[in-house]
Amino acid sequence: MFDLNYWPLIGIPVVVIGFALRFNPLLVVTFAGLATGWAVNLDFISLLQTFGEKFMNSRQLASFILILPIIALLERYGLQQRARDWISQIKTATSARILALYFIVRECSAALGLLSLGGQAQTVRPLLAPMALGTATNKYGELPKPVKDMISAHAAAVDNIAVFFGEDIFIAFGAVLLMDAFLKENGITGIEPLHIGLWAIPTALCALVIHLFRLARLESKIAKAVQKYNAPEPIL
């Protein structure tokens, strides 16, 4: 039978008492953390490092949670409509060209580790898809729902594929480090993360060429689909 140390739980009563007495929440949580650190014999420097690490992690989580309501508010007050109207004023713009340009920018930014520059919730739904739909509407008139769904699907695919093949070039990406650790654990030496990143470049270039070819065919697919849905019904 061993003695159970309850001192690390001292932070709980500190939080309960502090909130019950309506002290400043930040001070209450700080004192609770200090008390818990003292109870587990953490030195002052380690305690500060732990505070800083947890603060940064929580701040990143809060930033992610805040993005969705901000995007929802912007959409509520006409972000999609403004994006659609703005891109419709550019006469040379087409759905395929907009998606191709985004693919190139997204893949290059992912290769540099800038993954947060885009995304389905932040960019594709409020900006990219409305722009692609706006140019198609400007060219072909009101679009049937299957054509709208096809353009929106291509917009989502552009973001996913560009990030998937671009992020492998960034040597600090988690998957690259995982591959490096796996190879070393299994006795395969002489391969560094830089080598993995360099070998990902040809794959990313192939993905770029193949997807640009698919997007080059998108305009003709849109034209055929619109023509099909606008064709008069045959008289039986």
Side-chain angles (χ1 to χ4, degrees):
M1 191 68 182
F2 57 90
D3 294 331
L4 189 61
N5 184 10
Y6 291 100
W7 280 110
L9 301 178
I10 194 172
I12 297 175
V14 171
V15 170
V16 172
I17 295 171
F19 279 95
L21 298 177
R22 298 188 178 185
F23 289 142
N24 186 297
L26 181 60
L27 291 177
V28 173
V29 174
T30 302
F31 276 110
L34 291 173
T36 304
W38 167 77
V40 297
N41 296 322
L42 271 180
D43 61 82
F44 185 69
I45 299 300
S46 300
L47 192 57
L48 284 181
Q49 289 176 344
T50 305
F51 264 82
E53 179 184 346
K54 299 304 178 186
F55 173 77
M56 292 299 296
N57 293 339
S58 301
R59 189 180 66 169
Q60 291 171 358
L61 177 62
S63 301
F64 174 76
I65 293 173
L66 283 174
I67 286 173
L68 294 181
I70 290 173
I71 293 296
L73 280 174
L74 291 174
E75 284 190 23
R76 174 69 176 80
Y77 289 98
L79 176 64
Q80 289 190 1
Q81 185 62 40
R82 288 298 305 165
R84 189 180 299 119
D85 294 343
W86 175 73
I87 203 66
S88 298
Q89 297 173 3
I90 303 175
K91 302 303 180 185
T92 57
T94 64
S95 301
R97 288 173 182 170
I98 292 172
L99 296 180
L101 178 62
Y102 181 81
F103 188 96
I104 295 171
V105 173
R106 187 70 167 133
E107 192 173 50
C108 291
S109 63
L112 297 174
L114 304 174
L115 298 177
S116 299
L117 288 183
Q120 298 292 335
Q122 304 97 317
T123 308
V124 173
R125 177 185 161 84
L127 291 175
L128 183 62
M131 286 181 178
L133 289 169
T135 54
T137 304
N138 194 40
K139 186 175 182 179
Y140 301 104
E142 187 60 29
L143 301 172
K145 187 176 184 307
V147 177
K148 291 182 179 178
D149 292 342
M150 179 176 65
I151 297 174
S152 299
H154 272 277
V158 160
D159 188 87
N160 287 338
I161 296 171
V163 171
F164 183 83
F165 288 99
E167 62 189 3
D168 286 341
I169 301 174
F170 185 55
I171 60 174
F173 178 55
V176 175
L177 298 178
L178 178 63
M179 285 187 279
D180 178 62
F182 177 81
L183 293 175
K184 289 179 178 175
E185 287 178 1
N186 288 275
I188 303 174
T189 57
I191 299 177
E192 300 297 331
L194 179 61
H195 300 145
I196 299 174
L198 289 175
W199 279 104
I201 293 177
T203 309
L205 291 176
C206 289
L208 174 65
V209 172
I210 292 171
H211 206 75
L212 290 183
F213 176 72
R214 293 187 65 220
L215 291 175
R217 298 178 56 201
L218 178 61
E219 284 300 321
S220 62
K221 290 175 67 177
I222 295 174
K224 289 179 182 177
V226 172
Q227 185 178 12
K228 176 183 175 183
Y229 282 99
N230 290 336
E233 293 287 338
I235 301 175
L236 299 178

